[in-house]
Amino acid sequence: MGARVCVPSTVGDGTLMTGHYPTLQAVFGGEAPLPSCEGGYCKECPEEGARAPECQAPNRYKLYPGQKVLVTHKGRECVSFVEQHNHVDDEVKVFIPEQKLYISRKMEDVRLTDVQMHQHFEHSLSIVSSEPTEVASRSVSRSIDVPKRRSDAVEMDEMMAAMVLTSLSCSPLLQSPPSTESSVPAPQTASDSWKESGDVSDSGSSTTSGHWSGSSSISTPSPPHLEASPKYSSEAFGPSQVDEGFETDPDPFLLDEPAPRKRKNSVKAMYKCLWPNCGKLLRSIVGIKRHVKTQHLGDATDSDQHKREEDFYYTEIQMKDEAESESVVSQTPAVPVPSVIPQPLVNPEILPLDLLSPETPLASALSQSAPGSFWHIQADHAYQAMPSIQIPVSPHIFTSISWAASPPSIPSLSPIRSRSFSFSDHQPQTAPLKSQLIVASPPRAHSGTRKVRGEAKKCRKVYGIEHRNQWCTACRWKKACQRFLD
DNA sequence: GCTGCCGGGAG
DNA sequence: CTCCCGGCAGC
């Protein structure tokens, strides 16, 4: 980290100054026009036109949002963080915390820190890929004088894990901060893509998620943000950014799944093409992206419409080690998918039991099954015969359970507990547990007949009409009393 | 007749 | 959404 690297000369001739470590360009080949940045947000390489063919450097190296890199800005080496890596244009948008500005750089002008270089090479070695350039880079990498892993290698490991995870789950486009949307020529695409991804994820088969809202305000509700490396979030931004939107990942199960490192036990990650009737399985992101791009998107990489769209057409799945021991590329359309199919979002064993007994700490049970979520009970004004419990089983999907009589938990208001309530009667355990809303509408006493009048004293009787202001709201409004439940 | 509260309307 | 009330039905 922060070690001396090769710095492109500012003279503009593209030569490299001496240094300990080569630039990516030097490693992977390709020639880069030198950056000419003029303060603020600068883009020296517009999306359309003016792009020299060699911009499309043959390196398929992927930078992950949040990744720490080195760029040259105003002739100075700056530590910065990747915000978005545009593979098509081979541009990397980075944020320089020091200067608090976003700049775009050619891929060739972005340098990894030494540790990351090392990590990347290890990574490429581990990736099974027929990509010739990777092979090339691999061979090169061996000859590079990369320092041994340092003691913080573990930390970097986690960082890489986070990055990999991030890269799996979000499109680079989506990571552009809203503040730059006006200047980036594809905001519409971004939002559309987001919608698309939302649709896909509704079907439960996408890992698309993860949006880092950058330095923008906290008010962008929908897009989840990247669970970036701790360093990133803490160094570049305030801690308030860290957990904001974290829970919006549509699939907590995938979120929990902690990147390649843990997978080596029994589960391995594969990438499945989501293109209709395809379902191709590949082992590497690069591979699946290339597959999508070439096979489905027509390899029109420079078409605006298809830019980075491939991100939305694959998903990560987990495979049991033994099950996937087959070939790297297996044409198995209808096969595996174990972990991507909508999971039972609430443990069927837990929920009904908890609902059966109102006294059980529903909240705690739920918080165990859905960590980080919350449960909410509408209490007082729920008189409309519909006290509802919202159980966000997934950050996006709120399971709403409503029933007419006897909410199992209006804590403290009712000394008299309501009658026992059988949830499972109406939610048979054999019912297929899909990710749809579980809505239990328990039997109204008789549909059409009134609720039997309760024996409990009501506010009216207790306080009298003269103290009407002490009544519960429901009583005041001539609704079913919420304070003295039957 | 008193009371509880459903259904519906106003804002 | 909050607030109110007509009117039904149980007591």
Side-chain angles (χ1 to χ4, degrees):
Chain A
M1 287 291 210
R4 286 175 55 201
V5 296
C6 214
V7 184
S9 104
T10 52
V11 201
D13 58 359
T15 56
L16 297 173
M17 311 288 282
T18 55
H20 284 168
Y21 308 114
T23 61
L24 289 180
Q25 175 187 356
V27 173
F28 295 99
E31 299 163 8
L34 279 168
S36 65
C37 185
E38 51 283 326
Y41 192 100
C42 50
K43 271 172 83 70
E44 60 270 16
C45 201
E47 297 262 344
E48 56 272 292
R51 201 177 67 231
E54 53 265 23
C55 280
Q56 300 226 4
N59 83 68
R60 301 292 173 94
Y61 187 64
K62 166 137 188 166
L63 292 177
Y64 303 108
Q67 188 164 2
K68 194 172 186 175
V69 295
L70 297 168
V71 298
T72 306
H73 175 55
K74 291 182 176 169
R76 221 181 118 216
E77 188 80 14
C78 298
V79 175
S80 58
F81 297 97
V82 175
E83 180 177 342
Q84 163 179 342
H85 180 183
N86 183 338
H87 290 272
V88 178
D89 299 324
D90 231 7
E91 257 186 31
V92 184
K93 191 186 294 177
V94 299
F95 174 73
I96 307 180
E98 247 179 82
Q99 324 247 350
K100 291 191 171 54
L101 59 86
Y102 294 91
I103 62 173
S104 287
R105 280 286 179 274
K106 282 302 192 184
M107 181 64 180
E108 295 84 3
D109 300 326
V110 175
R111 293 167 298 284
L112 289 184
T113 60
D114 52 348
V115 176
Q116 287 176 343
M117 294 275 267
H118 182 75
Q119 296 255 340
H120 166 64
F121 296 140
E122 280 195 357
H123 184 61
S124 0
L125 286 177
S126 71
I127 289 181
V128 180
S129 169
S130 59
E131 179 68 65
T133 55
E134 285 204 4
V135 175
S137 73
R138 184 184 315 163
S139 63
V140 173
S141 74
R142 290 177 196 230
S143 66
I144 291 178
D145 183 16
V146 179
K148 261 305 180 196
R149 293 184 86 158
R150 303 180 182 177
S151 56
D152 59 358
V154 175
E155 180 188 332
M156 287 305 301
D157 225 357
E158 291 177 2
M159 198 164 156
M160 281 304 286
M163 291 166 185
V164 169
L165 187 61
T166 300
S167 78
L168 297 181
S169 59
C170 53
S171 148
L173 233 191
L174 294 177
Q175 283 132 24
S176 63
S179 58
T180 67
E181 273 181 7
S182 55
S183 59
V184 174
Q188 190 53 46
T189 316
S191 63
D192 287 344
S193 305
W194 178 253
K195 282 180 217 150
E196 277 181 40
S197 72
D199 290 343
V200 178
S201 82
D202 280 348
S203 73
S205 58
S206 169
T207 61
T208 306
S209 71
H211 175 282
W212 171 56
S213 58
S215 62
S216 69
S217 69
I218 315 180
S219 62
T220 50
S222 56
H225 97 121
L226 142 82
E227 62 278 18
S229 76
K231 280 199 167 193
Y232 187 29
S233 18
S234 59
E235 280 181 13
F237 304 101
S240 62
Q241 291 276 342
V242 174
D243 43 7
E244 182 235 339
F246 185 86
E247 72 286 355
T248 55
D249 189 292
D251 193 341
F253 295 90
L254 290 174
L255 184 65
D256 284 342
E257 162 227 326
R261 195 165 45 138
K262 273 193 187 168
R263 274 186 215 122
K264 65 186 170 194
N265 288 342
S266 60
V267 183
K268 284 199 172 174
M270 301 283 286
Y271 302 92
K272 182 181 181 181
C273 176
L274 293 175
W275 198 270
N277 302 324
C278 178
K280 185 161 186 145
L281 278 170
L282 288 173
R283 205 178 272 183
S284 71
I285 304 180
V286 181
I288 195 69
K289 280 192 176 181
R290 197 173 63 249
H291 161 79
V292 171
K293 208 185 311 181
T294 58
Q295 301 296 312
H296 303 310
L297 297 181
D299 209 9
T301 49
D302 45 4
S303 138
D304 264 7
Q305 203 177 0
H306 288 160
K307 265 179 197 167
R308 290 150 299 187
E309 244 185 32
E310 64 267 27
D311 287 316
F312 301 107
Y313 290 110
Y314 70 89
T315 186
E316 181 193 2
I317 66 174
Q318 291 179 350
M319 297 193 70
K320 294 275 182 190
D321 228 357
E322 53 273 18
E324 60 72 54
S325 58
E326 54 218 30
S327 68
V328 176
V329 179
S330 57
Q331 195 79 24
T332 49
V335 181
V337 224
S339 70
V340 195
I341 282 204
Q343 308 261 352
L345 293 167
V346 175
N347 187 337
E349 318 251 350
I350 291 179
L351 182 55
L353 287 180
D354 286 331
L355 289 177
L356 275 179
S357 56
E359 310 295 340
T360 27
L362 179 60
S364 67
L366 283 173
S367 64
Q368 281 171 14
S369 62
S373 17
F374 67 94
W375 64 304
H376 168 67
I377 298 178
Q378 269 183 295
D380 202 334
H381 295 353
Y383 58 85
Q384 285 282 17
M386 294 264 230
S388 73
I389 296 182
Q390 287 186 328
I391 304 167
V393 292
S394 153
H396 279 155
I397 303 173
F398 281 70
T399 299
S400 173
I401 303 173
S402 312
W403 57 93
S406 64
S409 43
I410 293 195
S412 85
L413 277 186
S414 164
I416 310 159
R417 279 274 70 135
S418 43
R419 62 186 93 109
S420 78
F421 168 66
S422 173
F423 181 85
S424 54
D425 284 348
H426 308 279
Q427 190 70 29
Q429 310 236 348
T430 56
L433 282 151
K434 299 200 169 183
S435 61
Q436 57 196 10
L437 299 184
I438 304 172
V439 177
S441 53
R444 302 213 138 175
H446 286 297
S447 66
T449 61
R450 292 193 153 220
K451 178 182 167 186
V452 182
R453 180 183 296 201
E455 287 97 76
K457 288 201 182 305
K458 307 292 179 183
C459 296
R460 185 190 187 101
K461 274 208 178 133
V462 172
Y463 302 107
I465 298 186
E466 59 274 20
H467 297 116
R468 193 167 184 267
N469 54 351
Q470 294 181 23
W471 295 5
C472 71
T473 316
C475 281
R476 260 184 280 138
W477 299 344
K478 294 171 74 173
K479 300 292 181 188
C481 178
Q482 289 297 304
R483 188 168 302 170
F484 306 104
L485 297 172
D486 297 331

